[in-house]
Amino acid sequence: MEQLYEFFTRKLKSTPTDFLRYKYNQIKWQGRFWGLVGPRGVGKSTMLLQYIKLHLNIKDTLYVSADQLYFSEHKLVELADHFVKMGGKHLFIDEIHKYEGWSRELKQIYDSYDDLQVVISGSSILDIYKGLADLSRRVPIYHMQGLSFREYLRLFHQIETPVYSLEDILVHKAVIPGVEHPLPLFQDYLRRGYYPFGKDEEFEMELLQVITQTMEVDIPQHLQTNISLGRKLKSLLLVVAKSVPFKPVMQRLADATGISRNDIPGYLIYMERAGMIAQLRDATGGLRGLGKVEKLYLDNTNLIYTLSPDKADIGNVRETFFMNQTRVANEVISSPISDFEINGRTFEIGGRKKGQKQIQDAAEGYIVKDDLESGYANTIPLWAFGLNY
């Protein structure tokens, strides 16, 4: 236990509290039992430690990582029992998916210790949802995405910008205080701003490690298969990275990767849940439903530039950014006449020469351009949608 507390206090001391993620104020922190999930590297652990540092008493709080050596000889239930007997009230367990049989023991802890708050987090989203099957009604799960352009401005450049609703953005209220020329900052965000570790000198290497861990370890382990599948899935990711936004044709993807065409739709869902890709669906189910997949993207633009630095398709980058930034606060679906639709509004994404033709039949249509500093009429700069969360 002493080693666990030493680890906890070291982590706490090195945790900054001057910048809080968008999700921070959306969580019901006092809940008795809840979880936080999200792709690797988006800042989940830091946010939990920030809350502890700002609001809890270290004397009755403990933060552990389930991959610590302590758990090679001790059980979670054993830790919880000892912690409660020592007066513990708040137990945070990070990387929960790395502890074998964790869901069974969590259920036992939930049923045995009424006065203990337990918070879990992890980056293997697939394993966590699978493990919580019999706890789903008792354990609310919060899902956190990477940095918005707005959050990047604050974390990387100390530029404070409020959150703007979609309605505000469409009537040109979205501005970046003190910044006359947002495009250089925007271009930098597209390449390295989605992940908090984008400030690191070795960012690209670190992101490649995240990709490899997710594709070659997390997904194959979840499917209980071997690493050769992970390599094939990684090749599927590269196909998406180098493509223009496209409607997935399973046979083409099968030919390019060596994966059975019947297996590809299921693998794409696993990749989506793991934060590697995004699938744009039609109105029959929406982004969170079971609608038909109309287009396939990488999850965010940083992945595009890291996986295909010399062949990044600009149309792909534009549409990926728009979907990535607007999906957090809105339900984004495919448009039958253009690129995207949100709440009956139609959006066509393009560059400086993009015209009004595609949206001329839309009830409410907008042209979104990536090379504008400011908007006019129904033409909106692409960067403005990065201030939506």
Side-chain angles (χ1 to χ4, degrees):
M1 284 292 288
E2 289 80 7
Q3 291 179 335
L4 293 180
Y5 272 103
E6 285 181 10
F7 168 81
F8 170 40
T9 53
R10 282 200 308 271
K11 294 284 285 185
L12 207 60
K13 286 179 182 178
S14 63
T15 299
T17 57
D18 57 330
F19 168 72
L20 302 176
R21 292 296 315 281
Y22 79 99
K23 203 71 182 179
Y24 190 90
N25 291 322
Q26 299 177 10
I27 292 175
K28 295 181 180 178
W29 290 94
Q30 291 76 28
R32 182 192 159 203
F33 216 118
W34 55 270
L36 176 67
V37 300
R40 291 180 176 276
V42 297
K44 302 179 299 297
S45 304
T46 297
M47 190 172 72
L48 295 180
L49 288 163
Q50 287 174 328
Y51 178 77
I52 294 171
K53 194 168 186 176
L54 292 170
H55 296 285
L56 297 182
N57 188 336
I58 193 173
K59 293 181 180 179
D60 58 22
T61 303
L62 178 61
Y63 168 95
V64 299
S65 180
D67 60 355
Q68 288 176 270
L69 282 176
Y70 172 90
F71 293 106
S72 64
E73 299 179 351
H74 301 85
K75 293 185 176 181
L76 277 175
V77 171
E78 180 184 341
L79 170 66
D81 182 69
H82 183 67
F83 183 58
V84 169
K85 289 176 179 177
M86 295 293 291
K89 297 179 180 178
H90 311 281
L91 179 60
F92 291 74
I93 309 170
D94 200 5
E95 296 297 313
I96 186 68
H97 59 281
K98 294 186 178 180
Y99 181 94
E100 188 174 354
W102 60 269
S103 60
R104 184 174 59 253
E105 291 194 37
L106 277 184
K107 186 177 185 301
Q108 185 177 340
I109 293 170
Y110 179 91
D111 293 335
S112 302
Y113 305 100
D114 293 340
D115 297 331
L116 177 65
Q117 181 191 36
V118 178
V119 176
I120 62 171
S121 65
S123 49
S124 183
I125 304 169
L126 301 167
D127 287 338
I128 288 178
Y129 277 119
K130 180 180 178 182
L132 287 174
D134 60 347
L135 279 170
S136 57
R137 294 182 181 178
R138 315 178 195 187
V139 184
I141 299 295
Y142 297 94
H143 194 291
M144 190 164 84
Q145 301 286 356
L147 298 173
S148 66
F149 180 45
R150 181 191 70 85
E151 291 181 304
Y152 154 86
L153 291 171
R154 173 63 183 82
L155 182 61
F156 283 57
H157 301 285
Q158 293 73 55
I159 299 172
E160 292 279 0
T161 306
V163 174
Y164 290 97
S165 69
L166 183 62
E167 288 69 26
D168 289 337
I169 293 169
L170 298 182
V171 295
H172 311 295
K173 289 184 178 181
V175 296
I176 304 174
V179 176
E180 293 185 16
H181 306 293
L183 295 182
L185 294 168
F186 178 54
Q187 291 299 321
D188 185 60
Y189 169 84
L190 294 175
R191 287 166 171 77
R192 67 180 183 111
Y194 188 69
Y195 296 92
F197 60 89
K199 295 190 293 184
D200 297 351
E201 288 187 13
E202 302 295 334
F203 165 67
E204 289 185 1
M205 183 183 299
E206 291 177 55
L207 183 52
L208 285 172
Q209 290 172 350
V210 166
I211 294 167
T212 298
Q213 181 71 20
T214 302
M215 304 302 295
E216 296 188 4
V217 179
D218 291 349
I219 296 178
Q221 280 186 355
H222 174 75
L223 297 173
Q224 297 181 334
T225 186
N226 57 45
I227 196 171
S228 64
L229 173 64
R231 294 196 180 102
K232 290 181 179 179
L233 293 179
K234 200 170 178 182
S235 69
L236 178 56
L237 198 68
L238 287 169
V239 171
V240 180
K242 296 176 181 178
S243 303
V244 297
F246 67 100
K247 185 179 180 71
V249 177
M250 300 311 161
Q251 189 58 55
R252 277 177 47 202
L253 293 176
D255 293 341
T257 61
I259 303 173
S260 167
R261 70 179 303 279
N262 294 328
D263 292 333
I264 288 179
Y267 291 151
L268 290 176
I269 290 176
Y270 294 133
M271 292 165 66
E272 183 176 33
R273 290 178 179 171
M276 288 289 104
I277 67 167
Q279 300 186 86
L280 181 66
R281 296 173 170 86
D282 66 17
T284 59
L287 183 63
R288 298 173 182 85
L290 298 174
K292 186 178 179 181
V293 176
E294 293 295 331
K295 285 185 181 180
L296 196 58
Y297 301 93
L298 288 188
D299 180 77
N300 62 79
T301 60
N302 292 184
L303 292 174
I304 297 175
Y305 282 109
T306 298
L307 289 171
S308 186
D310 300 322
K311 297 182 180 179
D313 178 81
I314 187 61
N316 194 5
V317 171
R318 292 166 180 155
E319 292 188 31
T320 298
F321 173 82
F322 182 88
M323 182 172 177
N324 174 268
Q325 298 288 284
T326 55
R327 69 183 179 184
V328 172
N330 312 274
E331 185 174 3
V332 185
I333 60 176
S334 64
S335 167
I337 61 173
S338 187
D339 291 323
F340 300 97
E341 184 178 312
I342 303 175
N343 297 331
R345 300 180 173 106
T346 300
F347 297 89
E348 176 70 17
I349 319 299
R352 182 175 296 277
K353 295 181 180 179
K354 175 62 68 174
Q356 301 275 332
K357 183 177 180 180
Q358 276 95 341
I359 61 168
Q360 62 185 3
D361 296 326
E364 184 178 348
Y366 296 89
I367 298 296
V368 180
K369 298 186 179 184
D370 68 335
D371 50 6
L372 290 183
E373 290 190 336
S374 57
Y376 53 91
N378 71 333
T379 301
I380 317 292
L382 181 59
W383 61 262
F385 294 90
L387 309 182
N388 197 213
Y389 74 93

